[in-house]
Amino acid sequence: MLTVAVAVLLFAAGSIVCVPSAVALPPGTPSKATAQSQLNSLSVRSQESMTGYSRDRFPHWITISGTCNTRETVLKRDADSVTVGSDCYPTSGRWYSYYDGAVWYQASDLDIDHIVPLAEAWRSGASHWTTSKRQSFANDLNGPQLIAVTDNVNQAKGDQDPSTWQPPRSGARCAYAKWWIHTKYRWGLHLQSSEKSALQSMLNSCSY
C-alpha cells in the first residue's frame, strides 16, 4: 500500500501508479498549468556551440552538510529505510528508479541524474554563466533537477534532450516533462524547437 506521502508525490507528478514505497521525487514539481505557462515563456533558438565545454566547468559534487556531498544527499532523500556510514555513503537502503520502475538495494546501482544534463545546459545558455552559477546548477537541491535512477538508464540518456530521449517507463514522462520545463525556466535556459515539441507532447499526457 502506498504511504500518504508517496501518494501525494505521485499525484503531484501527474500520474497515479502502484509502486513500492521506496520512491521520492525531486522537490518543486509544478502543475500542468504552471508547466504549460513556463514552457510558453521559454525562448526557442538554435543550440549553442559545445566549444569549451567540460563537466569540470560545473563543479560537483560539493559538500552539503558535514561529510555529505550532493550525490549522497540525493541518495538519502530518495531512499526508503536508508542507513549510512560515517562518510555519509549509504550502506543499505531501498530505491525505486522512477524512470524505469526498477527497485535497487545497493547505492552503487544508481546514478544521480541531472534532469537537464550539464552539456545540455551549456548549449542552452550556461556557457555564459560564471563557474559559481554553474556549480549551483549542478548541485541544485531546491528544484526538480536531481534524482536517483538506475545507472544504465542514466547512461543511456547521456546529454540528450526530450526530442531524442524520454524515460522508458511511459508513466514517468509527464513528471519528467514538468521537471525539465521547470528547471529550464528557473535557470533561464532556452529551448530548441524539436525539444519544445517533444515537451509539449509529453505535457499533453498529464492529467493535471
Side-chain angles (χ1 to χ4, degrees):
M1 178 179 294
L2 291 173
T3 64
V4 172
V6 171
V8 169
L9 283 169
L10 289 174
F11 184 87
S15 59
I16 295 294
V17 294
C18 183
V19 299
S21 61
V23 57
L25 303 182
T29 302
S31 67
K32 179 180 181 179
T34 296
Q36 183 66 68
S37 176
Q38 292 173 349
L39 179 61
N40 293 343
S41 73
L42 289 172
S43 297
V44 177
R45 65 185 76 164
S46 298
Q47 289 187 335
E48 298 180 24
S49 170
M50 287 293 288
T51 300
Y53 170 75
S54 166
R55 287 178 66 84
D56 293 340
R57 304 291 294 273
F58 294 79
H60 66 289
W61 306 109
I62 62 171
T63 298
I64 299 298
S65 176
T67 60
C68 299
N69 65 22
T70 313
R71 169 179 165 78
E72 292 157 350
T73 300
V74 175
L75 284 170
K76 290 193 335 181
R77 183 198 71 189
D78 290 5
D80 184 41
S81 303
V82 68
T83 59
V84 301
S86 59
D87 61 354
C88 198
Y89 193 79
T91 56
S92 67
R94 190 165 179 264
W95 290 266
Y96 174 79
S97 174
Y98 193 72
Y99 289 176
D100 59 337
V103 176
W104 301 101
Y105 296 88
Q106 299 289 332
S108 58
D109 289 320
L110 297 136
D111 280 353
I112 306 305
D113 179 47
H114 289 93
I115 302 295
V116 175
L118 304 182
E120 168 64 22
W122 179 270
R123 56 183 176 251
S124 300
S127 62
H128 307 292
W129 295 351
T130 63
T131 299
S132 176
K133 184 172 181 177
R134 286 192 291 265
Q135 175 176 290
S136 295
F137 176 82
N139 299 277
D140 182 10
L141 293 168
N142 297 317
Q145 165 64 347
L146 299 172
I147 188 172
V149 296
T150 303
D151 53 6
N152 60 3
V153 172
N154 182 55
Q155 290 154 22
K157 172 187 174 182
D159 66 352
Q160 299 179 81
D161 71 40
S163 68
T164 55
W165 188 92
Q166 297 175 13
R169 187 175 71 81
S170 60
R173 293 172 189 167
C174 166
Y176 185 74
K178 291 178 177 181
W179 298 338
W180 185 286
I181 293 165
H182 192 51
T183 296
K184 284 215 161 178
Y185 178 82
R186 289 178 65 238
W187 289 93
L189 297 170
H190 57 74
L191 302 167
Q192 58 176 330
S193 59
S194 60
E195 174 189 354
K196 182 173 183 178
S197 295
L199 287 166
Q200 184 64 69
S201 179
M202 294 165 73
L203 193 59
N204 289 343
S205 73
C206 300
S207 300
Y208 38 81

